[in-house]
Amino acid sequence: MNLVFRLAWRNLWRHSKRTWLTTGAMIFSNVLLIFMIGLQFGMYDLMIDNTLQTLTGHVQIQAPGYKDDQKMRQSVADVAGLASSLRTELGSDRVAARGAAFALVSSEDRSYGIAVLGVEPEYEGNVSTIPGLIKEGRFVNGPDAAEIVIGAALARNLRIGLGQELTLLGSGRDGSFAAAVVTVVGIFDSGVADFDRSFAEIPLRFFQDMFYMDGAGHQVVLTATAIDDVPELQRRVAELLPAGEELVVHDWDALQPGLKQAIRADMSSAFFMYGILVILVAFSVLNTQLMSVLERTHEFGIVLALGLTPGRLGRLVLLETAIMGMLGLLIGALLGAILTAYLGVNGFAYPGMEELAAKFNLPARFFPELTLPTLLAGPLVVFGFTILSALYPALRLHRLHPVEAMRAV
Amino acid sequence: MHMFAILARLAWRNLWRNHRRTFIMLAAIVLGSWAMIFMTALMRGMVTEVIKDGISALPGHVQVHHPKYRDDPSVANLIPIPDSEMSAKFAAAGLKGWASRVRVPAVITSEYDSRGVTLLGIDPERERGLTFIDYDEIDGRFLESVDDPGIVIGRKLARTLETEIGKRIVIMSQDPDNEIADRGFRVVGLFTANVTAFEEAFVFAGKSTTQKMLRIGDRTSELFAVGDDYRNVDAVYSQVTELVDAGVEVKSWFELDAYLGTMLKVMDGFLLVWVIVIFLALSFGLVNTLVMAVFERVREIGLMLALGMKPRNILGQIIIESLMLLTIGLVIGTALAWLAVQPIKEGIDVSIVAEGMDMWGMSSVLYPELLLRDVILANVVVLVLGFFASLSPAWRAAHYEPVEAITKV
Amino acid sequence: MTAVRCVDLCKTYHQGEEKIKALDHVTIDIVEGGFVCLSAPSGGGKTTLLNTIGGLDKPDSGEVYIAGRRIDNLRKGELAELRLRNIGFVFQAFNLIPVLTARENVEFVMQVQGVAAAERGEQALEILQEVGLAGLEDRLPADMSGGQQQRVAVARAIVSHPALVLADEPTANLDSKTADGLMELFCELNERHKTTFIIATHDKRVMSYAKRLIRMLDGRIVDDIEQNAT
Ligand SMILES: Nc1ncnc2c1ncn2[C@@H]1O[C@H](COP(=O)(O)OP(=O)(O)OP(=O)(O)O)[C@@H](O)[C@H]1O
Ligand SMILES: [Mg+2]
């Protein structure tokens, strides 16, 4: 081992308790940071997934203006054809066409105004979780069957069950009266009653006939394999759009502007907290290293008198700090990884979280995420601040005068 | 008492002996307690806003419904007591605020489009100031009486329906016999809401007008009452319970909205966790400082023991020193947090993440709320935990052998 | 009446393999109002004996009595109380509390005893004057010379008129004139209040003030002579 390193190592253990307390502060905040960051990003991923996977998808093709006004006539011509050509061009099944309209659904007893979505039965399941959430019956079948799937809460409120008929009333694309009778073939349950009350799905072709869409629809919904691939998907889809038709491609951020902002709002308060934690650790290190320099004034005076430069002494102090920081980083990362991995398997719950989580389509137990970035981000920042806070004590050494220093006790 | 004076004096002088160390530690405590209290104020403000907005949307602190209404909010589930009878009782009871309303799902249709909404038949005078509608911020005018023939809708809905003030729309719902009940209204006002989703969800008409349209005579869907403090609704709750007969359901706001209800509790818990985390981050430095202080004072501690001071006096001295340090830090930190809140008392604009805040149920202006209760909580927690953290170094100091300590170099 | 009685005290320190007998079957009786000098070469066991008598150190075997009360088996708290009320200490090396001024150091013991502020302030000033430190009352120990610090320690040891004063090399850092002054002060207190003094010293001049001179060597008493004070 290098002599300077050995010297630094021994100096550290002259006050082992102090060194451990300082390292302890680092370990504490590292473990906390790894856990919190893991939890946070795990939660964001869930929020994004759960919000987008139910209906929105990652990318949508729409007519200009449809996103904000959602009017019937802001439509995409030959929507099924477009979806099918995209499937071939992209070589992906995760593309589905939809139409959307407002209608009054009536059972014998009750009527509710809801959104009615026309979906491609064979592809809808690739872009939305609704077909998978069917609790009773099955999903709509066949392109133009007079069938409908509705939410559990709506079924309850309409007092209707499988096999019974519902009347749909609305207005077609041209403003004319649109009506149809459909049979309930499936009931889905997402767990959020208000969401389940708000819409129902029928086959796309049937939708187009009923609302006089003339083959048009309102959206082509696409999902990417991973959220990071969305920009690439959006770019390719934009290139593949048919020429001459005015269409726009929105990504999920444009479709659900609240989502990213909600994450950003949450992130800024989280980072404020992390920042405070890191600075407190830095103070702890500053205190320790300053003390360790001050109490060695006499000894430093002697080596300065012997001809060592303050710069080399400063480096010694920095090396001591780096060793301590490295200990904190390694032990902290290890413990943090163990804790997070454990909770990543067993989940983490906090009293009252269930109710809060439900509002954001989140489960009651959270599973923190453990990836290299979530593992190392916190500890590396702590390490950086540790070194930074040792600079002051290290630089102070330049002001040391050998003779005066030796007089100090 | 005289002993305390001696110990306090020794502790105070010792504190300033190593002023650099004390200052660094103080800076850490100041930062920590500032962050605790400032963050708490922001969070409190946020939660209060969410809850107040939530309560103004519900609305009210306590609501009365037909027992089945909440799962099936239709015209079939009206409060079984005639409105005039209830109103007479409530008017005599001297509640701070209350109102009854008709609340049913409906379809609104303009020349161009239709949407599903919640129709509220209200008594505009009774509800003034109790809901999220600010009567003075209306485009056009708000409803003027229970039999006002006009309707007030949200600005966003008006855009979707391509309608405007002065134009006619049709509201369609059901009467108790499942017959279609509809009526044409002239749009007399457009409202704006903090939470933009409300602008699409609710439309307001006069209570009597609505009752006539729905053919429900003197009946309403809900009655709500407001007390002085949303935190304490027990009084209003029992008052309301006494006024209505059995056969209805009385619920307070935190039962009506699980999200809002748990929010308050979770926030209390979260704030305590936050305070404790900050304290723990500080505690390493605190204990370290004390360990160093005790270490460099071994000889004088031995001397004091030799002169006849009791071990518990030494223990006391170290603990007093620690508490002094914490108290100074807390006082400064609390003062700074108070100062930091002053310039943003009128609200900070966080509209860059407005839609995100919307998603969390918050408005885009944040009013920090510095509660005495929270300040006390933070200070007491730090002092109490600080006391326990100081015990170990203080205990060690108190149990030195005087002879050994005094001869130690 | 005996002020201090030591019966067959033994104390052995282990330095690795080596055993050092710091006290080796020491038996002494010191009468009330005694004025005893302990003399021994360095490492002879003076400090160990004084610490044992003052209850700071426990003997391996043997008994110690102060004013007829056995103290070697007392608990820590009782010993602290005993030292506080009955014994004045002057230590060989580290004597003063660094954060307290000369006057506060002198007042310290009285303050812990609970003496009223006015009374102890007056007494502290008086005694500091007597040890020749008038004008230095408000200095911190760090700002005083070794001799001055020593005298503050002496002042503290005697200010509350304890029945027994144990002084370890009280004149070590003093010039002969100041040392004489200090010894005369001790003698006067000894006469006036019947205070018992046990003083460990190398200094021949100090020994000449003693009524009784005990010589030690390697933890044993080798000589014990009554002498007439000059
Ligand atoms: N804590 C200890 N550990 C080991 N040996 C000790 C310890 N304290 C004292 N001794 C030994 O006991 C013997 C007596 O020591 P003591 O301090 O009583 O001598 P002294 O007569 O006061 O000497 P001096 O005149 O130098 O102060 C010495 O040999 C010393 O080395
Ligand atoms: Mg000695």
Side-chain angles (χ1 to χ4, degrees):
Chain A
M1 226 192 305
N2 171 317
L3 180 72
V4 183
F5 185 87
R6 202 153 56 202
L7 195 63
W9 182 259
R10 292 224 183 115
N11 278 332
L12 266 186
W13 301 111
R14 286 212 316 217
H15 285 279
S16 59
K17 198 167 198 173
R18 184 169 71 192
T19 302
W20 277 125
L21 277 168
T22 315
T23 318
M26 297 177 203
I27 295 174
F28 169 75
S29 50
N30 282 343
V31 170
L32 208 66
L33 285 174
I34 292 170
F35 168 67
M36 296 281 286
I37 292 177
L39 191 67
Q40 201 188 346
F41 285 91
M43 194 178 87
Y44 294 160
D45 284 355
L46 267 181
M47 263 171 80
I48 292 174
D49 282 355
N50 291 11
T51 311
L52 299 182
Q53 280 169 5
T54 38
L55 279 179
T56 312
H58 290 145
V59 170
Q60 285 190 11
I61 303 168
Q62 300 177 344
Y66 179 78
K67 177 166 74 76
D68 297 315
D69 303 336
Q70 312 205 334
K71 288 177 187 141
M72 278 295 268
R73 50 193 152 76
Q74 295 165 324
S75 58
V76 179
D78 187 22
V79 72
L82 176 60
S84 134
S85 76
L86 281 173
R87 275 192 286 269
T88 341
E89 300 277 354
L90 293 170
S92 155
D93 266 355
R94 302 158 78 105
V95 182
R98 271 190 211 146
F102 173 80
L104 185 73
V105 290
S106 310
S107 63
E108 297 240 317
D109 308 334
R110 296 291 169 79
S111 300
Y112 285 93
I114 59 166
V116 172
L117 301 181
V119 299
E120 294 184 291
E122 59 277 50
Y123 298 111
E124 180 66 13
N126 298 338
V127 296
S128 157
T129 51
I130 297 296
L133 291 172
I134 301 282
K135 293 287 139 68
E136 261 184 82
R138 56 167 175 82
F139 197 60
V140 289
N141 218 338
D144 50 7
E147 295 175 347
I148 190 166
V149 292
I150 61 175
L154 187 62
R156 206 161 58 231
N157 290 166
L158 287 169
R159 303 184 179 184
I160 198 161
L162 284 184
Q164 288 179 279
E165 287 184 339
L166 283 176
T167 313
L168 297 181
L169 292 177
S171 38
R173 185 160 64 149
D174 52 3
S176 58
F177 181 71
V181 175
V182 289
T183 310
V184 177
V185 294
I187 292 173
F188 63 86
D189 189 355
S190 73
V192 184
D194 281 338
F195 179 69
D196 289 358
R197 251 186 218 124
S198 66
F199 71 99
E201 296 186 345
I202 59 179
L204 180 63
R205 203 96 64 76
F206 185 82
F207 175 92
Q208 287 166 332
D209 292 345
M210 172 183 169
F211 290 99
Y212 311 108
M213 296 300 295
D214 190 20
H218 295 103
Q219 335 162 340
V220 177
V221 184
L222 299 99
T223 52
T225 25
I227 197 98
D228 298 330
D229 301 337
V230 170
E232 169 66 12
L233 179 67
Q234 186 184 10
R235 197 184 53 74
R236 288 192 61 196
V237 170
E239 281 169 9
L240 293 171
L241 285 185
E245 220 178 319
E246 230 188 299
L247 289 176
V248 284
V249 184
H250 295 297
D251 66 356
W252 60 274
D253 187 27
L255 296 165
Q256 293 271 356
L259 196 56
K260 248 190 190 164
Q261 290 180 6
I263 290 174
R264 207 173 309 141
D266 183 67
M267 240 195 235
S268 49
S269 68
F271 283 135
F272 174 80
M273 294 194 261
Y274 301 159
I276 295 291
L277 209 59
V278 172
I279 296 175
L280 289 181
V281 174
F283 271 122
S284 200
V285 175
L286 173 61
N287 212 348
T288 301
Q289 289 314 78
L290 192 65
M291 282 311 105
S292 113
V293 166
L294 286 180
E295 76 193 9
R296 279 184 283 170
T297 305
H298 180 74
E299 165 184 342
F300 283 165
I302 296 173
V303 283
L304 283 178
L306 291 178
L308 222 65
T309 62
R312 286 190 64 171
L313 276 184
R315 271 187 306 245
L316 178 71
V317 171
L318 286 180
L319 182 61
E320 288 172 25
T321 317
I323 295 176
M324 196 155 65
M326 218 50 215
L327 272 179
L329 188 134
L330 292 176
I331 302 177
L334 183 72
L335 293 182
I338 293 174
L339 176 78
T340 312
Y342 173 79
L343 292 174
V345 172
N346 292 289
F348 165 83
Y350 183 88
M353 213 162 68
E354 194 177 336
E355 285 85 347
L356 298 193
K359 175 130 179 161
F360 304 104
N361 300 324
L362 295 178
R365 286 184 92 74
F366 283 165
F367 296 86
E369 181 178 286
L370 187 64
T371 61
L372 211 56
T374 67
L375 177 66
L376 289 182
L380 284 178
V381 171
V382 169
F383 185 80
F385 271 81
T386 299
I387 300 293
L388 218 62
S389 55
L391 278 182
Y392 169 66
L395 291 176
R396 257 183 74 88
L397 290 172
H398 286 274
R399 282 195 277 153
L400 214 59
H401 193 272
V403 180
E404 277 170 33
M406 277 193 293
R407 269 221 305 269
V409 269
Chain B
M1 203 54 218
H2 73 277
M3 191 45 103
F4 180 79
I6 302 171
L7 298 181
R9 180 201 293 170
L10 285 168
W12 179 254
R13 298 234 178 119
N14 279 323
L15 198 56
W16 300 109
R17 230 158 110 181
N18 204 326
H19 59 274
R20 266 194 209 88
R21 183 171 66 204
T22 302
F23 278 132
I24 295 175
M25 194 55 220
L26 261 186
I29 300 171
V30 167
L31 177 74
S33 53
W34 173 82
M36 278 177 196
I37 294 169
F38 183 68
M39 185 81 184
T40 305
L42 288 187
M43 298 271 215
R44 275 272 178 245
M46 234 186 253
V47 170
T48 307
E49 279 300 298
V50 172
I51 291 178
K52 280 191 181 152
D53 282 355
I55 288 178
S56 70
L58 270 174
H61 296 165
V62 172
Q63 289 188 348
V64 179
H65 292 124
H66 184 282
K68 283 200 198 139
Y69 178 83
R70 287 203 303 136
D71 186 52
D72 184 10
S74 79
V75 73
N77 297 320
L78 298 173
I79 299 176
I81 314 159
D83 190 38
S84 51
E85 187 184 315
M86 252 187 342
S87 294
K89 278 194 205 162
F90 274 81
L95 280 154
K96 188 181 168 222
W98 65 275
S100 59
R101 30 162 64 188
V102 179
R103 180 186 188 125
V104 290
V107 172
I108 181 169
T109 309
S110 70
E111 299 162 59
Y112 301 100
D113 214 339
S114 33
R115 283 292 178 268
V117 290
T118 298
L119 167 67
L120 296 168
I122 63 163
D123 178 344
E125 272 321 301
R126 286 232 71 90
E127 294 202 2
R128 182 183 284 275
L130 300 184
T131 70
F132 64 90
I133 297 280
D134 183 349
Y135 290 12
D136 301 325
E137 289 288 304
I138 299 283
D139 278 354
R141 65 168 176 86
F142 197 63
L143 303 169
E144 278 160 356
S145 66
V146 286
D147 36 36
D148 193 313
I151 193 162
V152 173
I153 69 175
R155 207 162 276 159
K156 182 113 193 267
L157 184 64
R159 214 180 78 188
T160 322
L161 296 176
E162 295 177 72
T163 187
E164 58 195 47
I165 295 173
K167 292 216 170 151
R168 288 180 64 82
I169 51 90
V170 174
I171 293 282
M172 191 165 64
S173 188
Q174 275 184 300
D175 71 4
D177 303 322
N178 299 327
E179 299 300 323
I180 296 285
D182 56 358
R183 187 182 189 282
F185 286 88
R186 196 172 292 285
V187 177
V188 296
L190 302 180
F191 71 85
T192 321
N194 266 346
V195 180
T196 41
F198 293 175
E199 290 183 19
E200 287 182 296
F202 299 110
V203 301
F204 293 86
K207 183 161 75 180
S208 303
T209 314
T210 312
Q211 284 169 333
K212 243 174 259 152
M213 165 187 147
L214 297 173
R215 298 184 279 276
I216 53 174
D218 189 25
R219 304 275 290 281
T220 51
S221 318
E222 71 184 5
L223 182 143
F224 69 90
V226 175
D228 292 314
D229 180 7
Y230 70 86
R231 270 178 259 263
N232 187 0
V233 295
D234 290 352
V236 191
Y237 184 86
S238 54
Q239 228 176 335
V240 170
T241 316
E242 273 170 35
L243 288 174
V244 293
D245 303 315
V248 296
E249 180 189 70
V250 183
K251 293 267 184 209
S252 54
W253 63 268
F254 44 83
E255 296 171 292
L256 291 166
D257 189 329
Y259 176 70
L260 291 183
T262 36
M263 187 116 178
L264 202 60
K265 260 182 258 152
V266 169
M267 193 47 63
D268 279 340
F270 174 79
L271 290 180
L272 189 64
V273 170
W274 167 236
V275 168
I276 290 176
V277 163
I278 290 278
F279 173 81
L280 287 178
L282 278 177
S283 70
F284 289 96
L286 179 70
V287 173
N288 209 346
T289 302
L290 292 179
V291 167
M292 285 193 258
V294 167
F295 175 80
E296 67 194 17
R297 264 182 246 150
V298 171
R299 288 198 301 174
E300 51 198 279
I301 289 168
L303 174 66
M304 286 187 269
L305 285 168
L307 290 177
M309 258 204 167
K310 306 229 167 47
R312 65 182 145 87
N313 295 332
I314 304 291
L315 186 90
Q317 189 194 321
I318 304 292
I319 287 176
I320 291 172
E321 187 173 335
S322 157
L323 293 184
M324 274 177 174
L325 185 67
L326 286 170
T327 308
I328 299 172
L330 284 170
V331 167
I332 301 176
T334 306
L336 287 181
W338 183 81
L339 281 178
V341 165
Q342 294 315 302
I344 53 172
K345 232 180 168 171
E346 304 308 319
I348 7 175
D349 191 10
V350 287
S351 46
I352 22 168
V353 287
E355 282 166 90
M357 300 304 269
D358 233 42
M359 199 163 162
W360 299 114
M362 295 164 200
S363 63
S364 54
V365 181
L366 195 67
Y367 301 90
E369 194 174 82
L370 193 62
L371 295 184
L372 186 63
R373 194 161 66 101
D374 293 331
V375 172
I376 292 175
L377 173 87
N379 281 279
V380 168
V381 167
V382 172
L383 285 177
V384 170
L385 293 182
F387 170 82
F388 286 111
S390 320
L391 274 180
S392 149
W395 183 264
R396 264 171 61 99
H399 289 80
Y400 280 134
E401 280 301 325
V403 192
E404 283 169 29
I406 209 166
T407 52
K408 190 157 180 174
V409 271
Chain C
M1 185 58 185
T2 47
V4 177
R5 160 178 288 176
C6 299
V7 184
D8 209 25
L9 290 178
C10 288
K11 174 97 183 171
T12 311
Y13 286 111
H14 299 267
Q15 277 291 324
E17 290 293 285
E18 204 184 344
K19 283 184 188 167
I20 301 162
K21 286 189 173 169
L23 295 177
D24 191 1
H25 300 284
V26 172
T27 300
I28 356 171
D29 272 301
I30 295 168
V31 291
E32 206 171 298
F35 198 105
V36 180
C37 265
L38 268 181
S39 115
S42 180
K46 304 182 291 290
T47 302
T48 309
L49 182 57
L50 286 186
N51 284 348
T52 311
I53 292 172
L56 286 171
D57 222 345
K58 293 226 189 257
D60 295 340
S61 66
E63 293 152 22
V64 182
Y65 298 85
I66 302 261
R69 178 172 175 217
R70 183 161 177 191
I71 65 147
D72 54 285
N73 52 6
L74 290 183
R75 279 181 290 110
K76 270 191 182 173
E78 293 169 312
L79 284 172
E81 194 65 26
L82 175 87
R83 288 197 295 273
L84 185 65
R85 304 281 161 194
N86 305 318
I87 304 176
F89 266 108
V90 180
F91 297 102
Q92 188 169 3
F94 188 85
N95 256 308
L96 303 181
I97 300 169
V99 287
L100 298 183
T101 63
R103 190 216 307 233
E104 287 166 341
N105 260 293
V106 173
E107 281 183 39
F108 182 78
V109 171
M110 283 189 288
Q111 206 179 354
V112 177
Q113 286 173 346
V115 178
E119 191 185 333
R120 61 173 198 252
E122 209 169 292
Q123 288 188 15
L125 279 186
E126 210 168 288
I127 204 91
L128 278 170
Q129 211 144 19
E130 280 187 73
V131 296
L133 291 176
L136 301 184
E137 298 90 351
D138 294 322
R139 293 246 189 123
L140 286 171
D143 303 330
M144 287 188 280
S145 73
Q148 287 165 340
Q149 290 182 32
Q150 196 101 8
R151 281 182 279 161
V152 177
V154 167
R156 183 192 55 209
I158 60 182
V159 68
S160 56
H161 302 298
L164 173 65
V165 173
L166 304 174
D168 202 347
E169 309 274 7
T171 58
N173 294 310
L174 302 183
D175 62 285
S176 57
K177 194 163 151 260
T178 323
D180 277 336
L182 211 59
M183 289 316 292
E184 263 151 32
L185 182 64
F186 281 2
C187 288
E188 191 194 318
L189 288 172
N190 178 249
E191 288 293 310
R192 218 170 352 129
H193 300 286
K194 284 257 169 281
T195 309
T196 309
F197 280 87
I198 306 178
I199 302 167
T201 187
H202 296 291
D203 191 341
K204 290 262 156 47
R205 300 170 58 90
V206 172
M207 293 178 216
S208 66
Y209 285 89
K211 292 180 186 164
R212 180 176 169 192
L213 183 61
I214 299 175
R215 287 183 198 280
M216 295 177 71
L217 182 64
D218 295 336
R220 275 171 297 117
I221 295 180
V222 291
D223 203 2
D224 188 347
I225 30 174
E226 299 283 336
Q227 62 180 21
N228 291 325
T230 42

